[in-house]
Amino acid sequence: GAGVSQTPSNKVTEKGKYVELRCDPISGHTALYWYRQSLGQGPEFLIYFQGTGAADDSGLPNDRFFAVRPEGSVSTLKIQRTERGDSAVYLCASTKQVGEEAFFGQGTRLTVV
Amino acid sequence: AQSVTQLGSHVSVSEGALVLLRCNYSSSVPPYLFWYVQYPNQGLQLLLKYTSAATLVKGINGFEAEFKKSETSFHLTKPSAHMSDAAEYFCAVSDPGNQFYFGTGTSLTVIP
């Protein structure tokens, strides 16, 4: 596609529910990143993929968070048993090669009530 | 490990004045350095990047940044601020083969 696409753009969920956030990277980009951005903060690294495998998942805050990229393109970030503290904007980015310029999507604003 | 420090979470300048946003990095290897801009309710947009070529890098919208290895700095400048420059600015570092680390951001306000 022309750019990184994230869906939904907004998600409101109740505490304890399960959510999935989707990222469709730029076609041909091998590396895909997930970041979380809280109000007034910089993007906080969660996980990145090189191809289908998670090359670094050290930023995932706990085992309620999981991400997949089964075919090396679209990625899904999954959050189980959501908590109010999970409320943030979740950003996805892709690069042609790891370490090169990252192109960001518009983000998914997750609100846990 | 890589890290980025942005001095000054809020910077205010008058329209037409010099913009200077500070960024210092820590990296054990020659880094790639980036400045991104984020307008309200929008995603991050690349302003410019340094990838070991010329130390003075020119970006979009009249911004530029100079890589100074001796000072481990990559400060962002613009000679004359415009009202449309009001936004959040993020400095980021990566090393080849690794992922990005962002600073906490600097909010730029332009006073008419």
Side-chain angles (χ1 to χ4, degrees):
Chain A
V4 178
S5 176
Q6 291 187 247
T7 54
S9 54
N10 280 283
K11 176 71 177 178
V12 180
T13 190
E14 293 181 347
K15 180 176 177 296
K17 297 291 189 182
Y18 168 82
V19 295
E20 290 189 352
L21 311 180
R22 175 188 167 103
C23 173
D24 198 342
I26 293 173
S27 178
H29 280 198
T30 59
L32 183 147
Y33 306 77
W34 283 100
Y35 286 84
R36 178 169 69 176
Q37 187 176 22
S38 300
L39 193 63
Q41 300 295 316
E44 173 194 13
F45 169 74
L46 296 177
I47 184 171
Y48 92 88
F49 292 87
Q50 179 65 16
T52 60
D56 184 348
D57 65 357
S58 62
L60 295 177
N62 51 59
D63 62 6
R64 296 187 296 105
F65 288 74
F66 190 71
V68 295
R69 194 186 185 199
E71 298 179 358
S73 179
V74 171
S75 176
T76 305
L77 178 66
K78 308 180 181 192
I79 310 174
Q80 298 177 319
R81 304 183 304 280
T82 52
E83 300 177 356
R84 292 195 178 88
D86 299 335
S87 296
V89 175
Y90 289 81
L91 298 169
C92 177
S94 69
T95 68
K96 189 176 292 187
Q97 298 286 345
V98 172
E100 293 187 355
E101 170 189 348
F103 293 84
F104 281 82
Q106 299 283 63
T108 294
R109 182 176 300 278
L110 175 67
T111 304
V112 182
V113 297
Chain B
Q2 282 63 245
S3 67
V4 169
T5 302
Q6 290 185 243
L7 296 176
S9 58
H10 297 275
V11 170
S12 293
V13 300
S14 298
E15 190 175 15
L18 171 72
V19 176
L20 171 60
L21 304 182
R22 299 179 185 275
C23 173
N24 288 88
Y25 69 91
S26 171
S27 177
S28 58
V29 297
Y32 290 172
L33 294 159
F34 306 83
W35 275 100
Y36 283 85
V37 61
Q38 187 175 34
Y39 297 101
N41 299 313
Q42 294 191 26
L44 278 76
Q45 178 184 2
L46 181 72
L47 273 178
L48 49 80
K49 63 180 178 181
Y50 167 78
T51 55
S52 75
T55 56
L56 182 63
V57 181
K58 294 187 184 297
I60 63 171
N61 300 339
F63 284 94
E64 62 183 37
E66 186 172 7
F67 172 68
K68 291 187 177 181
K69 184 178 179 180
S70 62
E71 298 178 7
T72 60
S73 69
F74 191 57
H75 301 330
L76 182 71
T77 61
K78 181 173 180 178
S80 177
H82 192 273
M83 296 298 294
S84 61
D85 294 329
E88 190 84 17
Y89 291 81
F90 294 96
C91 183
V93 64
S94 75
D95 59 29
N98 210 323
Q99 46 96 350
F100 294 83
Y101 298 86
F102 284 85
T104 52
T106 298
S107 177
L108 176 65
T109 300
V110 181
I111 304 166

